[in-house]
Amino acid sequence: MKFTETIKSPETEGKEKHVPVIEIDRAHGKSKTDIVRIIVGKDVPHPNTVEHHIVWAELFGVKQNGQVISLGRTDFTPTFTSPIINIRLNIPLEEFKAFGALSYCNVHGLWENLLEV
Ligand SMILES: [Fe+2]
């Protein structure tokens, strides 16, 4: 068995609450920068209690040459924060061919998603 086999995908039961949805906000605001957003529980909010919550989420960028870059990670404090991350890119969005995300629920484990751009 490989560790990656334990990671749950957008096809897994419970996906609505756990899959890190990746959105791109192109040319955002006055600075016209690109923002990549992760939202966990976009369609169905995930529980947000000490006993059951999203612990962290992380965003990766896959460059055109295949190199994987860790773009940012956030730890969430249950009840005080929501599992949403906005990451501002300092390089053109076109340098990436995909974005990947991981999220971790303290009850239901590790979840992944990939958005090709
Ligand atoms: Fe969960």
Side-chain angles (χ1 to χ4, degrees), residues 25-35 37 88:
D25 191 358
R26 292 177 189 263
H28 178 84
K30 289 181 183 175
S31 60
K32 302 289 184 196
T33 52
D34 298 321
I35 291 175
R37 179 177 303 114
R88 183 174 133 172

Side-chain angles (χ1 to χ4, degrees), residues 4 15 19 30 43 57 66 73 75 92 106 110-111:
T4 51
K15 62 183 182 292
V19 165
K30 289 181 183 175
D43 295 333
R73 172 184 161 126
D75 294 316
N106 66 332
L110 202 51
W111 296 74

